[in-house]
Amino acid sequence: MPILLGPYLAETAVGMGVMGAIISGTNAAAKNIERVRTGSASEKGALIDVGNEVVKNGVATAATFAVVASLGVEIVAAVGVTLIVGTTLKYAWDRGRDAVEKDLGNRKNRPVKSSARVAKVSPARAAASLAA
């Protein structure tokens, strides 16, 4: 007896997250194939973008499904809640990722500050301490 993937995954929030990840992964792959073909993205950059989309949308889909399922609302309200929660989660993820990337980019350009003091030791004193 074959297992039908769609109905099987649609039973749980994790399953819905997997479906969201699969769908967004195919969309991101199609977008990035064109970007690599035209030279506007490297293969590594394209793979990173696909991975980011898969994780982000899988998590957002699972969380959205969990919220909607816990409310037990009718179909029209469920669609509305899905749009609001899903959009909010994706927006928050993107803004958070942008903030982290900006902070990491700023850190690369800053000199490293050290609060540790380095003791100045003469070569003779260093040799004497090693010999002891």
Side-chain angles (χ1 to χ4, degrees), residues 73-80:
V73 293
E74 295 295 324
I75 186 91
V76 175
V79 169

Side-chain angles (χ1 to χ4, degrees), residues 119-132:
K120 294 183 181 178
V121 179
S122 69
R125 188 171 177 191
S129 68
L130 289 174

Side-chain angles (χ1 to χ4, degrees), residues 13-91:
V14 173
M16 288 299 291
V18 169
M19 285 179 61
I22 292 169
I23 293 166
S24 67
T26 58
N27 290 335
K31 172 185 77 175
N32 280 289
I33 288 169
E34 182 63 17
R35 290 176 62 215
V36 169
R37 190 184 69 74
T38 61
S40 64
S42 67
E43 289 179 7
K44 181 180 176 183
L47 287 173
I48 290 170
D49 183 63
V50 170
N52 179 56
E53 291 297 315
V54 165
V55 172
K56 170 180 52 181
N57 291 313
V59 170
T61 302
T64 300
F65 179 80
V67 169
V68 171
S70 70
L71 294 176
V73 293
E74 295 295 324
I75 186 91
V76 175
V79 169
V81 171
T82 299
L83 292 171
I84 292 167
V85 172
T87 301
T88 302
L89 289 172
K90 188 171 181 317
Y91 180 83

